[in-house]
């Protein structure tokens, strides 16, 4: 048996063993309640549980409309006009217009005419003033207590907003056999604590108290308050996972040079991704001057491998290309600069930041998106460490199944593609690998560096179950309100 509320207990105990149909008023008196809502709710609950039966009958009734309410207080229009005419027997239409509202005088005369008043020589006249008075009297009485079977009902129904017909539902309750079979001990009212207050906790009362259970299956209204955008909330969550895993956050500019964005990462200068079609080069600043020593090192590495064992890419390295301004195409441009500034201190660093690529917008592409980037530099850092770090991260995000596949990036060796399983399918979320000597040696980095870069929006699509990336940024309020708290 479901737990009965106190009002339900009281109502059933009161109504039990009486075969009659209980009206709302009788229930209120018998239960000593003033609030109808309590009785109705208890009756409803007991009916749902099969202890009462609710009988509903509906009746048509008439109530006053907005004009009727006014008439009940100030008098009907015809009554007010008639009084005026009687106390000013010589009054004319003009006088009426001067003493009544514009919208009243015209219709008012119409009403009086209907009662036998005429206009003669500009003045009001009637053969039978007392009949006019008594008809008005009758109408006034009707307005004071309107009813549906009265002969004046039709008359008032034809007038604007004087009366309204309403459907009245009246309820009665009878106790069912089940309801009668509950013992009165089971119907004793218990004091249950619905709210846990500091006072309650400070006193010892809570030890003896009974607590009202919550019914979490009930419909409840959604509180609508301000909240973070789901992307922001996701970023916060990722940030706290990396912080928890001992990483520190790196935040840097998105205006960068081609040198740091590509050359430092041993991306050949004729690589297709560097073309204007793929990268946003800047007019302002068109050129960002780089340290000549840095340029010379990259030149050596790219052309013949510098001091490393690499043979480089061959060809002619251009310092002008290196110093071109662009919008970063990946956040690796920032982690590599961090390493250049801190080449010897072991570190774990991450960044969650915006990158830019000349993509045409479609279901899975945006020209502006975010990457989740990270590096681990320490003696003995290796592929196993890289993979287990990524697995730990995705497991904390709620994706325990992660796999890696061989891939290619000019700056890592070996290189990996990271995939997570989602709804039975493997989805590619990013790249990873160990930085090549061509990248680390010119910068004086001695320890191995594990690095990865993943798409944030891709992950957001998984987390939010989206099949269109654009949904994240169209500011659809209804959609935003209905997103889960991340
Ligand atoms: N920078 C790569 C990208 O933008 C990802 C990556 C980062 C790959 C670090 C390997 C190492 O897709």
């Amino acid at each position: 048996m479901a737990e009965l509320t106190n009002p339900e207990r009281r109502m059933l105990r009161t109504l039990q063993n009486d075969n009659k149909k209980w009206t709302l008023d009788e229930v209120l008196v018998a239960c000593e309640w003033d609030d109808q809502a309590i009785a109705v709710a208890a009756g409803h609950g007991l009916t749902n549980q099969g202890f009462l039966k609710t009988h509903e009958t509906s009746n048509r009734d008439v109530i006053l409309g907005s004009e009727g309410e006014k008439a009940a207080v100030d008098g009907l229009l015809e009554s007010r006009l008639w009084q005026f005419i009687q106390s000013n027997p010589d009054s004319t239409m003009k006088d009426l217009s001067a003493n009544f509202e514009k919208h009243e005088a015209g219709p008012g005369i119409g009403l009086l005419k209907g009662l036998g008043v005429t206009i003669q020589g500009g003045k009001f006249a009637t053969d039978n003033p007392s009949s006019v008075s008594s008809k008005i009297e009758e109408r006034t009485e009707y307005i004071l207590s309107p009813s549906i079977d009265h002969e004046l009902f039709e008359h008032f129904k034809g007038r604007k907003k004087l009366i309204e017909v309403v459907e009245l539902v009246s309820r009665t309750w009878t106790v069912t056999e089940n309801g009668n079979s509950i013992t009165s001990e089971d119907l004793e009212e218990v004091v249950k604590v619905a709210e846990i207050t500091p006072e309650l906790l400070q006193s010892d009362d809570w030890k003896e108290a009974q607590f009202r259970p919550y019914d979490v299956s009930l419909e409840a209204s959604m509180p609508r308050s301000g909240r973070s955008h789901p992307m922001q909330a996701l970023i916060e969550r990722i940030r706290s996972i990396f912080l928890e895993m001992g990483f520190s956050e790196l935040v840097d500019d998105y205006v960068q040079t081609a040198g740091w964005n590509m050359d430092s990462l041993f991306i050949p200068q004729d690589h297709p991704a560097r073309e204007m079609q793929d990268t946003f080069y800047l007019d302002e600043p068109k050129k960002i001057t780089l340290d000549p020593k840095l340029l010379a090192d990259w030149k050596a590495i790219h052309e013949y491998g510098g001091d490393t064992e690499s043979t480089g890419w061959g060809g002619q390295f251009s310092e002008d290309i290196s110093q071109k301004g662009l919008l970063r195409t990946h956040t690796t441009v920032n982690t590599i600069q961090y390493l250049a500034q801190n080449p010897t201190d072991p570190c774990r660093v991450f960044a969650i930041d915006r990158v830019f690529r000349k993509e045409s917008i479609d279901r899975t592409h945006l020209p502006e998106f975010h990457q989740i980037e990270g590096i681990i530099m320490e003696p003995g850092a290796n592929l196993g460490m890289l993979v287990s770090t990524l697995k730990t991260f995705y497991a904390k995000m709620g994706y325990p199944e992660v796999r890696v596949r061989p891939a290619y990036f000019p700056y890592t060796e070996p290189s990996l593609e990271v995939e997570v399983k989602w709804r039975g399918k493997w989805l590619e979320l990013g790249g990873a690998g160990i930085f090549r000597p061509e990248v680390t040696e010119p910068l004086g980095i001695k320890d191995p560096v594990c690095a990865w870069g993943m798409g944030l929006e891709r992950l957001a699509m998984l987390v939010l179950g989206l099949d269109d990336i654009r949904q994240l940024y169209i500011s659809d309020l209804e959609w935003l309100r209905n997103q889960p708290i991340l």
Side-chain angles (χ1 to χ4, degrees):
M1 179 178 106
E3 191 69 30
L4 293 179
T5 64
N6 278 339
E8 287 169 353
R9 285 165 195 254
R10 184 186 297 199
M11 183 161 167
L12 186 53
R13 210 180 48 214
T14 312
L15 272 54
Q16 264 182 340
N17 304 315
D18 192 332
N19 262 340
K20 73 172 184 177
K21 288 191 165 186
W22 290 80
T23 65
L24 180 61
D25 287 335
E26 288 166 343
V27 171
L28 288 175
V29 173
C31 292
E32 298 174 8
W33 284 326
D34 320 314
D35 189 349
Q36 297 197 358
I38 296 184
V40 171
H44 190 68
L46 289 166
T47 303
N48 279 347
Q49 295 174 73
F51 301 135
L52 291 185
K53 202 167 157 44
T54 306
H55 312 268
E56 282 183 352
T57 46
S58 74
N59 279 318
R60 266 155 40 98
D61 202 357
V62 53
I63 58 164
L64 292 181
S66 54
E67 288 301 316
E69 303 266 5
K70 278 192 218 153
V73 180
D74 306 333
L76 284 161
L77 177 56
E78 57 267 49
S79 161
R80 287 184 287 124
L81 286 182
W82 183 235
Q83 269 174 25
F84 179 84
I85 293 168
Q86 281 186 313
S87 20
N88 308 281
D90 291 332
S91 58
T92 60
M93 199 51 208
K94 231 180 175 176
D95 299 318
L96 276 194
S97 306
N99 284 280
F100 289 86
E101 303 274 345
K102 220 188 196 160
H103 65 271
E104 290 187 327
I109 298 297
L111 287 166
L112 288 180
K113 279 189 177 160
L115 292 167
V117 177
T118 55
I119 303 178
Q120 284 169 13
K123 291 184 185 154
F124 299 99
T126 175
D127 299 340
N128 194 348
S130 64
S131 134
V132 176
S133 295
S134 75
K135 280 182 190 155
I136 289 181
E137 184 64 24
E138 261 175 55
R139 289 186 186 176
T140 303
E141 271 167 28
Y142 183 88
I143 278 299
L144 294 175
S145 85
S147 90
I148 208 152
D149 326 297
H150 198 283
E151 53 180 344
L152 280 175
F153 171 70
E154 287 302 326
H155 164 82
F156 280 109
K157 221 176 70 176
R159 291 175 63 175
K160 241 192 193 160
K161 295 186 184 161
L162 278 171
I163 56 168
E164 256 174 56
V165 178
V166 286
E167 199 82 20
L168 284 185
V169 178
S170 59
R171 253 185 227 102
T172 54
W173 291 280
T174 50
V175 185
T176 63
E177 223 171 284
N178 269 347
N180 276 324
S181 68
I182 300 189
T183 63
S184 52
E185 288 95 84
D186 281 340
L187 294 178
E188 230 148 79
E189 290 170 52
V190 284
V191 182
K192 290 202 175 176
V193 178
E195 208 180 339
I196 299 171
T197 59
E199 291 76 19
L200 177 72
L201 295 176
Q202 279 157 17
S203 72
D204 274 343
D205 293 350
W206 61 269
K207 290 185 184 160
E208 306 291 316
Q210 287 202 38
F211 293 92
R212 205 173 108 191
Y214 287 104
D215 184 350
V216 291
S217 64
L218 286 179
E219 284 266 343
S221 62
M222 270 294 268
R224 298 229 149 142
S225 53
R227 52 186 288 194
S228 296
H229 189 282
M231 282 308 277
Q232 193 54 43
L234 182 62
I235 289 175
E236 295 300 343
R237 193 166 142 205
I238 293 169
R239 182 173 281 144
S240 60
I241 291 178
F242 277 118
L243 291 173
E244 199 177 286
M245 288 167 69
F247 284 76
S248 18
E249 186 169 2
L250 176 67
V251 182
D252 209 339
D253 227 333
Y254 48 71
V255 172
Q256 295 288 345
T257 53
W260 281 113
N261 194 81
M262 293 129 173
D263 298 330
S264 75
L265 292 164
F266 198 51
I267 300 175
Q269 286 199 322
D270 58 1
H271 193 285
R274 298 172 69 128
E275 302 281 317
M276 288 277 282
Q277 304 89 281
D278 291 300
T279 302
F280 290 106
Y281 288 98
L282 298 172
D283 285 335
E284 188 65 49
K286 210 172 180 63
K287 177 179 173 183
I288 302 172
T289 312
L290 286 169
D291 178 0
K293 157 93 173 59
L294 207 53
L295 290 171
D297 286 346
W298 290 337
K299 184 176 171 68
I301 289 282
H302 278 248
E303 287 180 358
Y304 56 89
D307 297 335
T308 67
E309 282 164 30
S310 167
T311 54
W313 296 113
Q316 218 19 73
F317 181 88
S318 152
E319 281 132 355
D320 289 338
I321 290 182
S322 235
Q323 297 180 98
K324 275 188 185 172
L326 50 69
L327 293 180
R328 70 177 165 217
T329 61
H330 53 182
T331 38
T332 319
V333 67
N334 301 120
T335 41
I336 193 63
Q337 284 175 91
Y338 176 87
L339 288 172
Q341 283 152 19
N342 307 276
T344 53
D345 307 330
C347 67
R348 291 173 167 235
V349 174
F350 76 99
I352 308 170
D353 233 326
R354 191 178 296 232
V355 298
F356 307 84
R357 291 183 196 172
K358 273 199 183 166
E359 304 274 11
S360 18
I361 299 179
D362 64 22
R363 212 170 51 75
T364 52
H365 292 93
L366 292 172
E368 208 181 306
F369 57 100
H370 293 76
Q371 284 190 325
I372 312 167
E373 181 93 11
I375 45 169
I376 301 176
M377 173 177 70
E378 60 191 44
N382 57 41
L383 207 61
M385 183 187 261
L386 174 59
V387 174
S388 70
T389 303
L390 294 174
K391 282 194 168 162
T392 306
F393 167 73
Y394 281 114
K396 283 176 185 274
M397 285 300 302
Y399 302 96
E401 287 191 79
V402 177
R403 73 173 185 191
V404 292
R405 304 207 299 165
Y408 173 77
F409 300 100
Y411 37 99
T412 48
E413 180 62 39
S415 303
L416 305 173
E417 222 159 59
V418 186
E419 297 183 329
V420 300
K421 195 155 202 183
W422 186 67
R423 296 189 181 163
K425 275 194 291 189
W426 289 104
L427 291 175
E428 198 213 308
L429 287 189
I434 297 188
F435 279 148
R436 293 171 70 106
E438 290 93 329
V439 174
T440 52
E441 284 188 24
L443 300 174
I445 300 164
K446 295 281 175 299
D447 291 323
V449 182
C450 301
W452 66 86
M454 300 172 294
L456 173 67
E457 280 77 1
R458 282 279 174 92
L459 186 58
M461 287 172 78
L462 298 199
V463 174
L464 301 172
L466 297 181
D467 56 12
D468 192 328
I469 199 166
R470 293 168 286 199
Q471 184 72 44
L472 294 170
Y473 296 113
I474 56 174
S475 302
D476 170 349
L477 270 186
E478 196 50 33
W479 179 81
L480 287 170
R481 282 188 183 126
N482 291 327
Q483 289 316 292
I485 306 274
L486 295 179

